[in-house]
Amino acid sequence: MDSQTSPSSQPPHTFQVDLRGLVDLLSHHLYSSPKVYLRELLQNAVDAITARRAEEPDAPARVRLFAADGGLRVEDSGIGLTEADVHDLLATIGRSSKRAEGLQDVRSDFLGQFGIGLLACFVVAERIRVVSRSARTPDAPPVEWTAHDDGSYTVRTLPHEERPEPGTTVHLVARAGAGEWLAEPRVLALARDFGSLLPYDVRVGDEAVTDLPAPWNRSYPSPANRRVALARHCHGLFGFTPLDSVELDLPVAGVRGVAYVLPSAVSPAQRAGHRVHLKGMLLTERGEQLLPDWAFFVRCVLDTDSLRPTASRESLYEDETLAAVREALGERIRSWLTGLAAGDPQRLAAFLEVHHLGVKSLARHDEEMLRTMLPWLPFETTDGRLSLEEFAQRHPVVHFTRTVEEYRQVAPIASAQGIGVVNGGYTYDSELVEALPSVRPGTVVAELDADTVTAHLDTVAAADELALAGFLAAARAKLDPLGCDVVLRAFHPLSVPALHLDDRGARHEQARAQAEAQADDLWAGILGSLRGSAPRARLVLNHLNPLIRRISSLNDPELIGTATESLYGQALLMAQRPLRPADSALLNRAFIGLLEWATHGEPAHGEPTEEQGGH
């Protein structure tokens, strides 16, 4: 084949950029809001000044923004562009977004300062005019680049007097419907939001934008003054007055800032929004991945020069550096907690009153934190609201339940019998109780079950139980279809007539039996084969209770059955257990039965009595 017709010899072609399509991509997919146009303008100006100061340390460092007549003018004293620079820029536009590493490399080179960032201005502008004069090539004439949102542009040189000093001026003309974004109040608010920590003199008209040094970098007369100043800063930034503030200082990672402790509880599943500045410029106010998940009780604001932004520069790039910073910031918050435990128990108690859930989340995986927090973390117990440390000192065996329902079943009875029980039904609590022996050697921890509770209840004299054999047999027959046994015990408090006890094993067997009853023959056989020696639920009748004494003396089997169902339903309600359909039906049946019994022998309304001539 002739080499001239070979595919490899075909001349290369270049892509043509559709500016309208690119602007649509920027506005609807890359950037979250049109407001980022101002950040890009500020970033361009700051980069230009940084580039000039790298060569001229004493060069002026000014950025001025002027909003008027539906337009915006941004002037900087940066390094500027030559005509050749502009053409090179236009030939390589978009270069800075192709590769992640290019975003940093090109950003440090002024030729890449505009790129996608300047095109982002088309989100709010129909025309962009740039006038620039290079500081690197002082003899080069000023250059003007004018672009329209239809994709057309012109480049021309200007007389020297058009721009005597090096630097760049960007003129924006608002597009239809976007004028509010270029109005002075909006420009000032956005400039202060994005640029309050920028290291140069930035002004909108005569109004200063920067507020340096940052609140956490200032010196204060005393620690108390510092806390007050940071609390004021937090209220202005996030809208709340913090419980406390945690200094975040990682010089190795180039991170400095503060974490503010929320004054009210939040869900652990709620993602925190942190404000992250990159070299002074606000990168994002929704930096969710900055802290470990367990630190959901703080909101951070910080400045960094080491973390990498994503292509839109609205969030952080997930890499090893961010992972290391996240771990280090988590360690700072952990150190603050341990410091409070050691030196300021009142502030720690105030914090835990609101955010004990977050600390428990951390303590699950951190033995040192669990050991530190043991005297402080609150748990619901049969002795009241106590720490595990204090509870373990009172009880040789730390019993716990895995659900709130189980705890409510046994708490009054267990307390009266001297059994110490921790309610492990709340988030993280059972895990922490089980971890107790690892940080408190010698502690015995055991899950409470129905057998343990029953074993602590006093047995009834054999003669008394034999005398009630008929009553117990009728009661057992009534509850047997519900998978529940009936036992007689004597226990305190006397006011409790009956106690419903089950555990996970009993509930599992109950669910299996219910499924077996509803299954076809094949599945019923399979489920039946799974029947084991799993314990059944128990209705424990209190022989010391006067009501039980009266019911046990009944001779009517039907009335005994109705009374037993009533006791069973009342015990379920006392335990605050979710009711199955069968349980609800039983409660209704027992209620109606008691009403019928209570009104037995009474004449219906309007019926004559014997005295009135009835039969």
Side-chain angles (χ1 to χ4, degrees):
M1 180 182 291
D2 190 338
S3 61
Q4 290 188 349
T5 61
S6 168
S8 61
S9 66
Q10 296 296 317
H13 298 278
T14 58
F15 289 103
Q16 299 299 311
V17 175
D18 176 4
L19 189 56
R20 285 187 184 276
L22 184 56
V23 169
D24 180 72
L25 176 68
L26 294 174
S27 60
H28 293 100
H29 301 286
L30 187 61
Y31 295 123
S32 62
S33 165
K35 70 180 182 179
V36 298
Y37 89 92
L38 192 68
R39 185 197 62 200
E40 295 297 339
L41 287 175
L42 286 176
Q43 188 69 63
N44 289 342
V46 167
D47 288 344
I49 294 171
T50 301
R52 184 174 180 184
R53 283 209 155 183
E55 301 178 8
E56 304 175 47
D58 296 328
R62 297 186 307 272
V63 181
R64 297 290 183 266
L65 297 91
F66 303 95
D69 303 324
L72 177 66
R73 185 173 87 254
V74 182
E75 299 179 354
D76 69 64
S77 58
I79 199 164
L81 294 168
T82 65
E83 183 180 9
D85 292 336
V86 170
H87 284 292
D88 188 31
L89 165 68
L90 296 175
T92 58
I93 204 160
R95 170 176 59 184
S96 62
S97 64
K98 286 182 180 177
R99 298 176 302 163
E101 64 269 16
L103 191 61
Q104 287 182 316
D105 299 339
V106 178
R107 178 58 81 174
S108 65
D109 177 356
F110 181 62
L111 287 182
Q113 68 148 312
F114 289 114
I116 295 296
L118 188 61
L119 290 184
C121 293
F122 279 121
V123 174
V124 297
E126 67 176 17
R127 180 164 59 89
I128 302 173
R129 178 171 169 257
V130 179
V131 177
S132 186
R133 181 166 183 172
S134 175
R136 286 176 177 161
T137 315
D139 295 335
V143 61
E144 178 193 69
W145 173 61
T146 304
H148 296 79
D149 60 1
D150 62 2
S152 64
Y153 67 86
T154 60
V155 179
R156 67 187 180 111
T157 57
L158 303 174
H160 284 277
E161 58 269 18
E162 286 284 333
R163 186 173 182 93
E165 299 295 328
T168 300
T169 302
V170 179
H171 303 260
L172 301 184
V173 176
R175 67 190 307 159
E180 63 169 310
W181 292 103
L182 303 186
E184 184 171 14
R186 177 65 68 92
V187 170
L188 178 59
L190 292 178
R192 283 178 170 164
D193 194 37
F194 285 121
S196 62
L197 300 184
L198 289 176
Y200 304 132
D201 179 16
V202 182
R203 295 176 184 271
V204 176
D206 296 326
E207 296 286 338
V209 167
T210 52
D211 183 21
L212 295 177
W216 51 84
N217 286 331
R218 298 173 189 171
S219 57
Y220 298 92
S222 69
N225 288 104
R226 184 179 185 84
R227 279 200 298 272
V228 170
L230 289 177
R232 190 180 301 117
H233 174 251
C234 175
H235 192 275
L237 201 61
F238 293 117
F240 66 84
T241 301
L243 282 178
D244 207 347
S245 54
V246 185
E247 303 281 343
L248 303 177
D249 187 9
L250 305 175
V252 176
V255 173
R256 187 81 175 89
V258 62
Y260 293 116
V261 181
L262 291 164
S264 55
V266 293
S267 166
Q270 181 178 328
R271 301 294 292 177
H274 307 297
R275 288 177 65 92
V276 183
H277 294 257
L278 184 59
K279 298 180 180 178
M281 181 70 71
L282 178 66
L283 180 73
T284 179
E285 50 193 352
R286 299 186 302 274
E288 296 179 349
Q289 70 272 53
L290 191 63
L291 290 180
D293 290 341
W294 56 260
F296 55 82
F297 48 82
V298 298
R299 294 291 181 272
C300 292
V301 53
L302 55 80
D303 190 23
T304 176
D305 57 17
S306 64
L307 299 178
R308 294 169 59 191
T310 57
S312 66
R313 293 202 296 283
E314 292 188 276
S315 59
L316 294 170
Y317 188 82
E318 186 70 51
D319 58 10
E320 292 181 358
T321 303
L322 179 57
V325 167
R326 180 165 49 236
E327 183 177 347
L329 293 178
E331 184 58 41
R332 285 285 185 275
I333 296 173
R334 184 185 288 110
S335 298
W336 166 77
L337 279 172
T338 55
L340 283 186
D344 201 338
Q346 280 190 325
R347 282 168 68 200
L348 178 65
F351 166 75
L352 290 178
E353 183 68 26
V354 179
H355 294 298
H356 57 273
L357 199 59
V359 180
K360 287 179 177 181
S361 172
L362 171 59
R364 286 183 306 155
H365 307 295
D366 189 326
E367 285 192 1
E368 188 57 39
M369 179 58 66
L370 179 58
R371 187 177 291 107
T372 302
M373 291 292 118
L374 266 182
W376 309 103
L377 284 175
F379 289 79
E380 182 180 355
T381 77
T382 48
D383 291 357
R385 198 163 176 80
L386 298 176
S387 71
L388 288 182
E389 174 68 30
E390 186 175 356
F391 188 81
Q393 290 174 358
R394 297 184 181 187
H395 298 278
V397 179
V398 178
H399 288 99
F400 72 97
T401 63
R402 291 195 183 275
T403 68
V404 174
E405 289 78 11
E406 290 174 3
Y407 178 80
R408 286 170 178 164
Q409 285 182 79
V410 302
I413 311 303
S415 179
Q417 310 308 313
I419 308 173
V421 185
V422 178
N423 184 356
Y426 296 115
T427 307
Y428 310 133
D429 283 10
S430 61
E431 297 173 72
L432 292 174
V433 175
E434 288 180 299
L436 192 56
S438 66
V439 296
R440 197 178 188 276
T443 304
V444 179
V445 172
E447 183 175 354
L448 189 70
D449 56 24
D451 288 336
T452 304
V453 178
T454 307
H456 280 78
L457 305 180
D458 294 334
T459 57
V460 177
D464 292 338
E465 186 159 0
L466 185 61
L468 299 177
F471 162 75
L472 292 174
R476 286 167 182 152
K478 196 67 176 178
L479 296 188
D480 184 66
L482 296 171
C484 183
D485 291 333
V486 177
V487 296
L488 188 66
R489 291 289 187 273
F491 56 87
H492 293 272
L494 299 180
S495 58
V496 177
L499 174 66
H500 180 270
L501 290 178
D502 67 355
D503 51 27
R504 283 177 299 160
R507 288 195 295 276
H508 177 75
E509 172 63 18
Q510 199 173 59
R512 185 210 60 77
Q514 185 175 5
E516 180 182 354
Q518 297 173 352
D520 56 29
D521 292 342
L522 174 61
W523 280 108
I526 294 174
L527 292 168
S529 68
L530 297 177
R531 184 188 298 112
S533 57
R536 285 157 60 90
R538 298 169 205 174
L539 183 67
V540 184
L541 303 180
N542 187 359
H543 188 54
L544 301 180
N545 180 269
L547 177 62
I548 295 297
R549 296 245 180 173
R550 289 197 296 273
I551 292 175
S552 63
S553 64
L554 296 172
N555 295 318
D556 183 347
E558 186 175 344
L559 184 55
I560 290 174
T562 299
T564 303
E565 287 183 329
S566 301
L567 291 170
Y568 174 83
Q570 189 264 353
L572 284 181
L573 293 175
M574 289 296 293
Q576 300 183 41
R577 283 280 308 281
L579 298 180
R580 300 171 297 162
D583 297 329
S584 299
L586 175 144
L587 279 171
N588 289 331
R589 187 169 62 247
F591 178 71
I592 296 299
L594 288 177
L595 283 178
E596 290 178 346
W597 176 78
T599 58
H600 181 67
E602 295 291 333
H605 182 67
E607 289 184 2
T609 61
E610 290 185 5
E611 290 80 0
Q612 296 171 325
H615 295 288

